[in-house]
Amino acid sequence: MRVWYVTSRKHSLRFGGRVKMAPTHVLRCCQRGLAWIPVIFIALVVCWSYYAYVVELCIFTIPSIAEKIIYMVFFHLSFVMFVWSYWKTIFTRPANPSKEFCLPKAEKEQYVKEERPESQQEILWRAAANLPLYTRTGAGAIRYCDRCQVIKPDRCHHCSACDMCVLKMDHHCPWVNNCVGFSNYKFFILFLCYSLVYCLFIAATVLQYFIKFWTNELPDTHAKFHVLFLFFVAAMFCISILSLFSYHLWLVGKNRSTIEAFRAPVFRTGSDKNGFSLGFGKNIAQVFGDEKKFWLLPIFTSQGDGLTFPSRLVNIDPEQPTVSLQPEANKSIEDVPASPLSESQNHLLGNEQHANNVTEHLENDTGSETITIIMERES
């Protein structure tokens, strides 16, 4: 009897554990399901707007065949680009830190066993010694995610909704049920752009028929409700999207994320809200790429790998190694700070530091003197 009692108790504890775990699992599934409600709402509105514009307005209301064709062509162009960019924003998985930013197994175990924050930071400092990190916490410590157990790359943040660290995280958008970051930020900007164009086009072309229905110049038909409501919905979304789109264009021009706009990143030299700004042209190219022919297409063309970003503060970082600029005659030596920049950073900064030796010839106006500057990187 005693053995039977103990066994039954063990089973009851296990069963009780399952009962306690079940609500958490169910709650998480419910949260994931409810998160799609805004996306479904937008999809239903878009489907209704397509029906209202194409069928009720163009087919049943507009009398001119030429006007119908013109409206239909431009409407479908804006509709396709809007749906394409919206789809890419939703279903592009956020980029995560690579394995290089994960602690080795031995150091991870040591980090977990340590109780003092100072000792934990020493472990992180050793692990981050060879990583291209320029940002710190507000206290100057290494940015580490205890949830994902990774050292956070620059501009990387943990999203509680997605439960993951996202490279160059901007924000979590409920209207796309996804994190907006390095991998889909261009798609998000284009989604705002084409949704604004879509709403503007609908509002502009529906306006005259809205006035005619409102003043009873056109007979009351089943199309009246759709046309009137279509104008109100398009105008309402147009106003809200315009403010959001303008704000994100400003962020792109400043090379900031929404998080960085509210909380300036902290570098080794201190906090600076413009630390990643390289100038308007290079800031735009960092998001949309070098080839302008792809800027308006929801195709990934952003520069870099999302792990490292060029910063105007790199050259004044005292913790970076130095390289020597030597004149050809070896008359003087000048040490300047350098940093282990990635190929994408070199490309953005417009230099040639990724080569082992770079030789530049500077000639004066008379062409009588030539100075050779040789830059050598430490191996």
Side-chain angles (χ1 to χ4, degrees):
M1 291 295 293
R2 186 174 300 175
V3 175
W4 177 85
Y5 175 78
V6 172
T7 305
S8 299
R9 187 179 180 183
K10 288 183 178 180
H11 282 290
S12 64
L13 289 175
R14 292 177 183 175
F15 180 75
R18 292 177 183 175
V19 172
K20 291 180 181 179
M21 292 175 59
T24 305
H25 179 71
V26 172
L27 180 61
R28 186 174 300 177
C29 292
C30 291
Q31 289 176 343
R32 291 178 180 178
L34 293 175
W36 285 100
I37 291 180
V39 178
I40 295 174
F41 172 75
I42 294 296
L44 292 176
V45 171
V46 172
C47 291
W48 168 80
S49 67
Y50 183 90
Y51 166 79
Y53 192 91
V54 174
V55 178
E56 299 295 343
L57 179 67
C58 292
I59 296 178
F60 292 137
T61 304
I62 299 177
S64 173
I65 297 179
E67 187 177 359
K68 288 182 180 180
I69 295 175
I70 294 174
Y71 281 8
M72 293 274 279
V73 169
F74 285 99
F75 172 80
H76 280 91
L77 285 176
S78 62
F79 178 80
V80 169
M81 297 306 297
F82 163 65
V83 173
W84 186 9
S85 57
Y86 189 44
W87 178 276
K88 294 285 287 185
T89 307
I90 295 173
F91 294 104
T92 299
R93 179 178 173 81
N96 310 120
S98 60
K99 295 181 180 179
E100 289 76 10
F101 291 85
C102 298
L103 290 178
K105 184 177 180 180
E107 295 182 356
K108 185 182 296 184
E109 294 176 353
Q110 185 180 0
Y111 179 87
V112 173
K113 292 178 182 178
E114 287 289 347
E115 297 181 356
R116 295 183 304 164
E118 297 81 4
S119 301
Q120 291 180 334
Q121 274 298 310
E122 291 179 1
I123 298 173
L124 296 179
W125 277 102
R126 290 195 300 268
N130 297 322
L131 295 177
L133 300 175
Y134 302 106
T135 56
R136 298 287 184 263
T137 64
I142 297 293
R143 300 169 63 245
Y144 182 76
C145 180
D146 292 310
R147 180 74 174 176
C148 300
Q149 296 184 337
V150 295
I151 296 175
K152 294 181 181 178
D154 294 340
R155 315 184 82 173
C156 175
H157 299 275
H158 184 86
C159 176
S160 57
C162 297
D163 195 23
M164 66 175 67
C165 284
V166 179
L167 298 181
K168 195 187 175 183
M169 178 180 173
D170 188 88
H171 68 288
H172 183 88
C173 181
W175 298 107
V176 300
N177 191 27
N178 198 4
C179 239
V180 178
F182 173 76
S183 61
N184 62 348
Y185 188 59
K186 177 190 175 183
F187 306 149
F188 178 74
I189 297 294
L190 292 180
F191 157 63
L192 295 178
C193 175
Y194 288 121
S195 59
L196 180 61
V197 171
Y198 183 73
C199 293
L200 279 174
F201 179 79
I202 290 177
T205 53
V206 170
L207 178 59
Q208 58 173 322
Y209 297 99
F210 169 83
I211 296 174
K212 290 180 180 180
F213 275 120
W214 193 266
T215 58
N216 294 322
E217 293 183 24
L218 291 176
D220 290 342
T221 60
H222 56 82
K224 181 177 181 179
F225 166 78
H226 292 282
V227 173
L228 294 178
F229 198 61
L230 185 61
F231 177 79
F232 280 120
V233 172
M236 179 185 65
F237 275 98
C238 183
I239 294 173
S240 60
I241 294 173
L242 178 60
S243 59
L244 185 61
F245 179 58
S246 302
Y247 176 67
H248 277 279
L249 285 183
W250 178 79
L251 289 179
V252 172
K254 296 291 185 178
N255 203 340
R256 300 177 197 168
S257 64
T258 300
I259 296 176
E260 293 165 352
F262 286 95
R263 184 174 66 249
V266 179
F267 295 85
R268 293 169 177 171
T269 55
S271 62
D272 190 338
K273 61 182 179 180
N274 295 318
F276 291 108
S277 180
L278 307 174
F280 182 78
K282 291 182 179 179
N283 292 343
I284 297 294
Q286 195 173 84
V287 175
F288 291 93
D290 293 322
E291 300 187 41
K292 296 181 179 180
K293 61 183 179 181
F294 296 124
W295 280 12
L296 298 180
L297 296 177
I299 301 172
F300 184 81
T301 56
S302 300
Q303 294 178 342
D305 53 9
L307 298 171
T308 58
F309 296 91
S311 171
R312 66 185 185 88
L313 300 178
V314 169
N315 291 333
I316 61 175
D317 193 338
E319 297 187 22
Q320 295 302 317
T322 60
V323 294
S324 298
L325 295 179
Q326 297 182 350
E328 189 176 15
N330 294 326
K331 293 182 179 180
S332 63
I333 298 177
E334 181 182 1
D335 291 335
V336 297
S339 59
L341 299 180
S342 63
E343 185 177 355
S344 60
Q345 290 178 304
N346 292 319
H347 180 64
L348 283 170
L349 291 173
N351 56 43
E352 299 293 337
Q353 293 181 2
H354 61 280
N356 292 329
N357 295 300
V358 177
T359 303
E360 298 180 357
H361 296 280
L362 304 176
E363 297 184 1
N364 57 10
D365 295 336
T366 60
S368 59
E369 183 180 1
T370 301
I371 301 176
T372 302
I373 301 177
I374 301 176
M375 298 177 61
E376 296 184 354
R377 189 181 63 182
E378 295 180 0
S379 59

